[in-house]
Amino acid sequence: MTLYLALMVVESMVNRRHKRIRLLQERSAAAANLPGKLHSLQASASYPHDAHTVWSLIRPAESATFLSDAQRAFTVPGTPQGVGEQQCFIGRDGSASVIEVIGEEGPWWATTRPLARDGNNRRTTYRLEPTATGCTLTMGCVIELPANAAFASDPSEWWENHARPYLNRIAEVLSARRN
């Protein structure tokens, strides 16, 4: 009888433990299935140049060497021009990244995505719109973060700090070409 009672106590403890583990697994699975947080961010700059001039500067991968901190930039050999094109950027620190053009209608807009997935889903769009004195380039970014992730700072401020040096450098290069 004592052995029977001891077995019942042990079985009860084991069942409680398994129940807690199953409950934790169900909670984490439920959290993983929550929809991500979508952030839509934009930064713009106007230039006293037509859209074709700005497009011809920003479109080739190689331009990243004087528009950003890329030490080397190129179209990945064997990829098509336009949609499906992959562009590789090698930073001065030796880091490398590859983006893919997933939509394009030159000289008006292009959308890219990074090939390396890092837990967030990101798309960057470059849109040129004519103005009375030239054109405006708007760099947009849509980022979907997992439900349990968040920006460390204000997302709009982060994007502005990321995009502004690029937009300013375009103005500098276009100005130097004019002189």
Side-chain angles (χ1 to χ4, degrees), residues 135-151:
C135 71
T136 297
L137 171 61
T138 301
M139 285 180 60
C141 184
V142 175
I143 300 175
E144 183 180 5
L145 294 178
N148 59 350
F151 275 94

Side-chain angles (χ1 to χ4, degrees), residues 82-150:
V83 175
E85 178 179 345
Q86 295 176 3
Q87 297 180 348
C88 180
F89 307 97
I90 301 171
R92 297 192 193 295
D93 63 356
S95 63
S97 62
V98 179
I99 63 168
E100 178 181 23
V101 177
I102 58 173
E104 178 178 39
E105 185 182 324
W108 308 113
W109 65 271
T111 301
T112 65
R113 70 175 178 92
L115 285 187
R117 300 300 169 120
D118 60 356
N120 63 42
N121 189 8
R122 181 164 122 175
R123 304 282 185 268
T124 305
T125 300
Y126 304 82
R127 183 172 304 282
L128 285 162
E129 297 177 43
T131 64
T133 59
C135 71
T136 297
L137 171 61
T138 301
M139 285 180 60
C141 184
V142 175
I143 300 175
E144 183 180 5
L145 294 178
N148 59 350

Side-chain angles (χ1 to χ4, degrees), residues 2-39:
T2 305
L3 184 59
Y4 179 72
L5 283 174
L7 282 174
M8 285 181 57
V9 168
V10 169
E11 181 183 16
S12 172
M13 290 172 35
V14 169
N15 284 341
R16 260 192 241 146
R17 183 170 182 229
H18 285 301
K19 187 176 181 179
R20 269 186 292 188
I21 291 171
R22 192 174 39 236
L23 184 61
L24 288 173
Q25 289 173 339
E26 289 171 2
R27 285 182 184 165
S28 64
N33 290 331
L34 289 174
K37 299 173 195 162
L38 202 61
H39 298 275

Side-chain angles (χ1 to χ4, degrees), residues 10-84:
V10 169
E11 181 183 16
S12 172
M13 290 172 35
V14 169
N15 284 341
R16 260 192 241 146
R17 183 170 182 229
H18 285 301
K19 187 176 181 179
R20 269 186 292 188
I21 291 171
R22 192 174 39 236
L23 184 61
L24 288 173
Q25 289 173 339
E26 289 171 2
R27 285 182 184 165
S28 64
N33 290 331
L34 289 174
K37 299 173 195 162
L38 202 61
H39 298 275
S40 184
L41 312 164
Q42 291 188 343
S44 297
S46 294
Y47 307 103
H49 300 275
D50 64 60
H52 292 280
T53 301
V54 176
W55 183 261
S56 67
L57 173 63
I58 67 170
R59 178 56 180 89
E62 294 75 13
S63 293
T65 58
F66 45 89
L67 295 177
S68 69
D69 68 343
Q71 180 175 349
R72 186 150 185 252
F74 56 91
T75 297
V76 175
T79 62
Q81 178 97 20
V83 175

